[in-house]
Amino acid sequence: MRTGRIFWGLILVYIGSIVLLENFGVISFSWHVVWKLWPILLIIWGANILVARNDNRNAGLLTGIVTLIGLVFMTVFGIKEIKKEGRWAYEESAPALSDSDDWESGTNKVYKEEYTPENKKAILSVKGGAGDFKLEDTTAILMEALVKGQSVSNLLKRVDTDSIVNLTMISQEGKKMLMPGDRFHKTDIKLNPNPVWDIHLKLGAADVDFDLKAFKIENLTLSGGAADIKVKVGERSRMVNIKAETGVSSVEIKVPENSGCRIVNKSGLSSKSFDDFIEIEKGVYQSKNYKTAQKFVNIVLKSGISDLTVKTYKD
């Protein structure tokens, strides 16, 4: 019995099971924990190498036990982190409205946060599970969001510190079982284009479509389990820093053709498409104009089994 086959077989079964359970809304798993606990994978791998010399039934059994213990450990902490976040409780910014269109027997909720010229910097954190998230329009106030959902509770908190505003929005799904392709809610977000924005997304089985051309983006972090993420950044900031950490996801990032772009790809078994870029060293790619550009986009990709695309566009 080949111990290597047992090891990789369990890993693939584990990833597939976690993604399937997330898609059906049975669990919420923090893929970020996998990156925190990556030394466990080294321990499992090392233990398998030690027993690989004894290619017999006992060696195979020991390999399976060690691998299962490590995966169970990661699962417990991954689910626990999501549950810890789910205990946050914030007041809604606006009362619920009656639903009149897309979602039958659902509800519409509107969230609004006021803007003043003193709000020079704003940080938006969006956390949720299965949903559709869209951002492309501007607003005269600081932020507004329309949420159309089924069995979903949305929580919003604002914290002002000097000229910096922190906005945290959490979408908590109900207990309804998801069918493949279902989403609990649709969230349309609008932001004020005047402040410098940091945007942090921590989502599960979500669809994300963020057109950020109109905004001054400084930092953008993307974290998803089985997410479909599309983002487009513009040239309103001198430097945009993007970090994507995903599990089994599709990630597409569009950057302006005139901006110098650098990609550091630290992904595992992911497919990649960086056709507009030159590989200058292993895992590092640059646009041809990186050294002469006036504005820059720096991208760091850390993914499990994902489809990664970075491309340029003309205005």
Side-chain angles (χ1 to χ4, degrees):
M1 183 180 295
R2 298 290 299 274
T3 59
R5 291 181 180 178
I6 295 174
F7 172 71
W8 287 111
L10 288 173
I11 293 292
L12 293 175
V13 169
Y14 172 78
I15 294 174
S17 299
I18 292 293
V19 173
L20 186 63
L21 291 173
E22 266 203 313
N23 285 346
F24 276 87
V26 177
I27 64 170
S28 292
F29 184 76
S30 173
W31 290 96
H32 183 65
V33 167
V34 175
W35 297 110
K36 288 182 179 178
L37 301 179
W38 67 266
I40 291 179
L41 297 177
L42 292 181
I43 294 172
I44 296 173
W45 199 351
N48 289 327
I49 292 174
L50 290 175
V51 302
R53 294 181 179 179
N54 301 319
D55 200 9
N56 54 43
R57 173 180 259 173
N58 291 334
L61 181 61
L62 183 58
T63 294
I65 292 173
V66 172
T67 304
L68 284 174
I69 291 174
L71 295 179
V72 168
F73 187 80
M74 283 197 298
T75 303
V76 169
F77 278 86
I79 295 175
K80 184 182 294 185
E81 180 169 310
I82 291 291
K83 288 183 176 179
K84 179 176 66 177
E85 293 171 357
R87 288 196 288 267
W88 296 359
Y90 304 140
E91 295 296 325
E92 293 180 0
S93 299
L97 304 176
S98 61
D99 192 4
S100 59
D101 43 28
D102 291 34
W103 294 73
E104 292 183 5
S105 67
T107 57
N108 282 356
K109 295 181 180 179
V110 175
Y111 301 85
K112 294 183 178 180
E113 292 296 337
E114 294 304 318
Y115 168 75
T116 64
E118 289 75 26
N119 303 144
K120 304 297 184 184
K121 170 104 179 196
I123 302 171
L124 172 64
S125 300
V126 180
K127 305 179 182 183
D132 292 343
F133 297 85
K134 187 174 184 179
L135 192 164
E136 61 180 356
D137 293 331
T138 61
T139 179
I141 61 176
L142 182 63
M143 170 203 175
E144 59 181 296
L146 171 63
V147 182
K148 303 174 184 179
Q150 297 180 5
S151 184
V152 62
S153 173
N154 296 281
L155 311 171
L156 180 66
K157 183 179 182 180
R158 172 175 179 158
V159 177
D160 289 69
T161 306
D162 298 327
S163 61
I164 302 175
V165 182
N166 280 274
L167 301 173
T168 303
M169 187 172 190
I170 301 178
S171 297
Q172 296 176 314
E173 295 85 0
K175 300 299 183 181
K176 174 187 171 183
M177 178 70 74
L178 276 179
M179 297 304 292
D182 283 352
R183 292 288 184 266
F184 273 120
H185 58 88
K186 297 180 179 179
T187 303
D188 289 327
I189 302 172
K190 298 179 181 180
L191 300 178
N192 191 296
N194 293 320
V196 175
W197 285 93
D198 283 359
I199 299 178
H200 308 291
L201 304 180
K202 191 171 186 179
L203 307 169
D207 284 348
V208 177
D209 189 358
F210 276 23
D211 187 340
L212 304 173
K213 283 174 54 180
F215 308 100
K216 303 171 187 174
I217 305 297
E218 189 168 78
N219 296 290
L220 173 64
T221 60
L222 311 168
S223 177
D228 184 0
I229 301 172
K230 296 179 181 179
V231 297
K232 184 186 222 181
V233 296
E235 297 182 283
R236 296 203 61 204
S237 298
R238 182 181 178 277
M239 182 172 293
V240 181
N241 297 303
I242 302 175
K243 184 177 182 180
E245 297 187 10
T246 59
V248 185
S249 301
S250 173
V251 179
E252 179 183 277
I253 301 173
K254 293 183 179 180
V255 301
E257 186 181 56
N258 293 329
S259 294
C261 183
R262 180 183 177 92
I263 305 167
V264 178
N265 184 25
K266 301 180 180 180
S267 303
L269 302 176
S270 297
S271 65
K272 62 183 184 299
S273 176
F274 307 147
D275 294 339
D276 300 328
F277 303 90
I278 302 170
E279 187 171 17
I280 60 172
E281 59 182 90
K282 184 174 177 57
V284 180
Y285 303 78
Q286 279 186 183
S287 60
K288 296 178 181 179
N289 65 336
Y290 189 79
K291 293 183 178 180
T292 59
Q294 300 298 312
K295 297 185 178 181
F296 302 90
V297 179
N298 294 318
I299 302 172
V300 177
L301 301 172
K302 296 181 180 180
S303 299
I305 304 176
S306 296
D307 183 9
L308 307 174
T309 301
V310 181
K311 60 175 66 175
T312 60
Y313 71 91
K314 292 182 179 180
D315 252 337

